[in-house]
Every structure is written in C-alpha cells, then in structure tokens.
Amino acid sequence: MFTGLIQETGTVKRIKKVSQHIELTCSASRELLQDYNIGDSMAINGVCLTAIEVTDSDFTVDIMPETFQKSIFSDLRIHAVVNLERAMSAKGRLEGHIVSGHVDTTTRLIKKVKKENSIILTFYYPPQVQGEIVAQGSVAINGTSLTVSAVTAGSFSVSLIPYSMNHTNLGQLKQGEFVNIETDILGKYIKAIMGTEKTQILSKYTGE
C-alpha cells in the first residue's frame, strides 16, 4: 500500500524487453534505496512494481505486458523523469490517501493554467472511471495524491502547490501528455455497493 506522497523523482535508465515481460531500470538516491531489497515494492508513476535487481544508485523491476499497455509505460523513453514512492511501513503516517498502486487507466492533460502560486491541471474524464472522481475527493495522478478541485461532464481538475510542482513530474507536464490515474479505493467500493443494491432493486420489481 502507498500514500501518494512522492518521496523523490528518478530517471529511466533502461527499458529492456525480455520474452513476455519488460525490465525497467530507474535511478534513485542512495537514501531511498538504503534498505530497499530484491522483492520489495516501489510505486513508479503510481504503478506498484517489484524489484528484481538493486544497486546503490538504481533498481530494476519487472513489468507484465498488461501493465505495460494499461499505463503510460508504453510511451516511456530513456531519461524520462518518474515519480517514486516506497511502500508505506506499518508505522508510517497516512498523510495522503490509500493508494494501491493498481492504475485504473491513463488520461490526457487538456489544460494547464497558472493561478497565483499554484498550477491548475485539467484532465479528460475517462468513461472507465465514471462516478469515481468527485469534487473534493482524492485521486492519484502518476502516483501523486491530489484533491480534486472541480469536475465537469468531461473533465476534472486538480491544483498543484509549489512543493508538488518541484518534487514530482507533474509540474513538467505539457498539454496533451498522458498520465496514470488511480481513483480512490473507497469510492470504488461505494460505487460497487450502490450498483449491487440497484441491481437487486431492479431484479425485485422485474422478476429477473
């Protein structure tokens, strides 16, 4: 489990296709990798992945084809900047929100506007997550826990404070670029429960 509080950014050093999977190597600081071992989890741009190799300055993870195609990893290039977060320890503070590291889909940045000391990012609202992104709710974008500031029929917006701009890759986003998104797990459960109750009510009155 993760919190969506990015610990640092890393750089993609190598992308290697091996049989039915992809090996991705990223740079990271000695501090982040100090007690990071083979088999441990790391969220890279919000995707939970397992280490297969670790050195003092980089680490390598396995990416399955489905994950590769479902995320922005399919468009990653060498030297790309990625957000990194280690899995939360049992003693850690949950200061963002519960992030599973299971990306739902990707979406496109459609507007970027500077407002005072913040930046407002507006993204296309993918139909796959309809009803799971609500104003004042939480969403993870490239693994970064953010509060949704506005929602329309076709888009949603978040606000980046200077810290988030400087400590994640979101401040570098350009209009038209794609990001990974994971909606709030609590919202998913509520949506599933409400959908089940609606089906049961319809079945009761239709006899199905």
Side-chain angles (χ1 to χ4, degrees):
M1 187 178 77
F2 304 90
T3 66
L5 300 182
I6 303 305
Q7 292 172 274
E8 66 181 52
T9 56
T11 304
V12 175
K13 295 178 64 176
R14 181 168 63 97
I15 302 172
K16 180 181 178 183
K17 185 170 183 180
V18 182
S19 184
Q20 295 300 309
H21 66 280
I22 295 91
E23 292 182 1
L24 178 70
T25 301
C26 293
S27 66
S29 70
R30 184 183 294 270
E31 290 73 22
L32 188 68
L33 300 177
Q34 185 173 12
D35 60 347
Y36 184 65
N37 302 302
I38 292 173
D40 289 351
S41 297
M42 181 81 76
I44 303 177
N45 276 352
V47 180
C48 178
L49 297 165
T50 302
I52 59 172
E53 292 180 22
V54 181
T55 73
D56 289 340
S57 60
D58 61 45
F59 65 99
T60 301
V61 296
D62 257 339
I63 306 176
M64 295 298 101
E66 181 180 359
T67 303
F68 194 76
Q69 296 300 328
K70 193 176 181 179
S71 67
I72 60 171
F73 288 148
S74 59
D75 292 323
L76 269 187
R77 299 290 182 266
I78 303 298
H79 305 307
V81 176
V82 292
N83 293 332
L84 302 176
E85 182 191 355
R86 294 278 304 273
M88 187 183 78
S89 69
K91 297 179 181 179
R93 293 179 182 274
L94 184 58
E95 297 184 10
H97 74 282
I98 297 174
V99 178
S100 69
H102 302 153
V103 167
D104 293 299
T105 186
T106 62
T107 192
R108 186 179 73 255
L109 178 67
I110 55 180
K111 187 185 295 184
K112 182 176 182 179
V113 178
K114 184 172 177 58
K115 185 177 181 181
E116 297 178 358
N117 70 331
S118 66
I119 291 178
I120 308 300
L121 302 178
T122 301
F123 298 91
Y124 168 69
Y125 197 139
Q128 301 97 308
V129 294
Q130 188 65 42
E132 297 176 15
I133 299 177
V134 296
Q136 310 311 314
S138 297
V139 65
I141 301 177
N142 277 357
T144 307
S145 175
L146 294 165
T147 300
V148 180
S149 57
V151 177
T152 69
S155 68
F156 69 94
S157 299
V158 297
S159 179
L160 289 186
I161 60 174
Y163 184 89
S164 297
M165 285 186 268
N166 296 327
H167 289 81
T168 74
N169 61 11
L170 299 183
Q172 303 174 22
L173 284 178
K174 296 185 175 72
Q175 187 172 324
E177 283 193 65
F178 282 80
V179 294
N180 293 326
I181 62 169
E182 180 189 332
T183 60
D184 190 350
I185 188 67
L186 298 179
K188 291 175 183 174
Y189 278 120
I190 293 171
K191 181 180 177 181
I193 292 169
M194 295 299 291
T196 300
E197 290 181 351
K198 183 177 179 180
T199 300
Q200 291 174 341
I201 293 172
L202 288 174
S203 298
K204 179 179 179 180
Y205 289 100
T206 60
E208 296 180 358

